[in-house]
Structures are given as C-alpha cells and as structure tokens.
Amino acid sequence: MAIFNGFSQAGLNFLQDAWIHNSKTWFDEHRSIYDNDLVKPFKLLVEQLTPEMLKIDEWFETKPAIGKTISRIHRDTRFSKDKTLYRSRLWLTFKRPNKDWKEAPAYFFEISPNSYQYGLGYYCASKQTMDIFREEIANDTAKFLEMIRCVKKPFELVGESYIRPLIKDQDEKIATWYNRKSLAVMVTNNHIADVLDSDLPNKLIKGFKKIVPLYDYLMRVEMIKNIPKL
C-alpha cells in the first residue's frame, strides 16, 4: 500500500505557475504534474489521516476524491466577475456530509506555493448557526470558557466580526468569539518545507486532536440547529 511521503517542490511550483499562466492550454500541457505531484499525494494524505479522524467523528466523509475530501483547482466562474480559471491553492477537509458544505464545521489543511494552513471552522457560517452559537455561550458561559482553553498557540481565532459589539462591556475573552459572523481557528505557517516531509500527517493529527473540544461544541450547535421545530 502506498503511503504519503510528502508533497514535492514540483507540485508547489505548479500551483504558482498555474496562477501565473492561468490558461486551459497551459494546464493541459502540465496536467501530469497536477495529477502526480498534487492530487496523488493529497489522496494518500487523506487515506493516512482517515483512521485517526474517524476516531474524532465516525460520520466524517473520508473518500479520497476531488469533490469529497479534496478541493478542485478549477474555479467556478459562472457567477463571478473574476474569470480566473485556476486556484493557486488546494485543500482537504474532513466534515460530515451536508447539503450546504459552506455551513458544515470542517477540519481542513491547505497548501499554497509559499505557506500552509490547517485548523477547524466554517467556510461561511449562517446567521442561524452563529445565533445558536451565541445562545450556547450565554446559556453556559463557564462551559464555553473551559472549552476555548483548547485553542492555544499556534492556533488563532479568525473570521469577520461585527463592527459594533453585540453586547456592551462583555468580557474580551468571550466577546472575541461572540461577535463573529463566522469563525475558524487555524495555524498559518510559512515554513513550506514542512509539507515536503513525510511526517506531515502526524503533525496535522496532533494539531487536530488538540481542538476536538471545539469540534464537539460546534457539533452541538449543529444538533440544536437541526432539531425540528414544532
């Protein structure tokens, strides 16, 4: 069975070049690099991470395929003013199947030519999701403060916030979460050589396990959101 031995510099160079040239002709001429130095290692990485990720949530989608756990490099330009054909980054996710993938809490790992990121959160949480998230904070603040202890450096909280605080004079530890329109916790690292190393899966699993309490909290929000209304 093949194992993940790291990404290659050729794969990283391809992401940079695809962004620069950004034409179907160029992409087709260099397709073999994309297939062998990006798609193949991403599939192997998903396979290697899967056993430990299923311990976090047995319902995660784990099929090592584009459109399932692996992102597409092709951009959907149908409804965008930006007609750029190809991305300069690729990522994988572990999340439960959801009718709207943008709203599902997801573990993720992403590479670009010069950096990588990994963490947990929403691509774009709905207002309903964040309203329930805030209700949960208000209902048991002590539980929330205990949970966020898992979010330590190198993880950082990110996501757009409301300009005006929703509650005046709120404890800053709570307010920085409470006022988010969407959220994620992530590590951003410019030491790109890390992704060339076969030890990358162990690094990701170690980080992902640290933030399991946050994942469980977000899944409680999902459970409440999906309770049928009488």
Side-chain angles (χ1 to χ4, degrees), residues 97-178:
N98 189 293
K99 61 182 180 180
D100 187 348
W101 64 270
K102 295 178 182 178
E103 292 189 21
Y107 280 93
F108 63 89
F109 164 72
E110 176 183 296
I111 62 170
S112 61
N114 300 307
S115 65
Y116 68 96
Q117 298 177 325
Y118 63 93
L120 165 66
Y122 299 96
Y123 181 83
C124 184
S126 67
K127 184 179 184 300
Q128 179 192 16
T129 296
M130 296 309 296
D131 284 346
I132 296 173
F133 178 74
R134 282 184 277 272
E135 288 175 8
E136 285 299 291
I137 294 175
N139 289 340
D140 195 337
T141 302
K143 178 181 178 180
F144 173 75
L145 289 172
E146 176 64 24
M147 180 277 293
I148 61 174
R149 291 177 61 186
C150 73
V151 184
K152 301 176 182 178
K153 289 186 177 180
F155 287 100
E156 293 183 322
L157 175 64
V158 298
E160 184 183 1
S161 297
Y162 288 100
I163 297 175
R164 295 181 180 179
L166 298 175
I167 296 178
K168 292 183 178 180
D169 303 321
Q170 191 175 40
D171 184 326
E172 181 59 29
K173 288 182 180 179
I174 300 172
T176 189
W177 292 79
Y178 195 92

Side-chain angles (χ1 to χ4, degrees), residues 191-210:
H191 191 252
I192 195 63
D194 290 348
V195 308
L196 310 180
D197 196 316
S198 61
D199 193 53
L200 179 63
N202 294 326
K203 183 182 185 73
L204 295 178
I205 286 296
K206 184 177 179 181
F208 288 161
K209 285 183 175 180
K210 288 181 179 179

Side-chain angles (χ1 to χ4, degrees), residues 13-23 26 73 86-87:
N13 292 345
F14 179 91
L15 290 176
Q16 183 69 57
D17 292 340
W19 179 255
I20 293 172
H21 297 284
N22 230 282
S23 73
W26 182 91
I73 194 171
Y86 304 105
R87 298 185 174 96

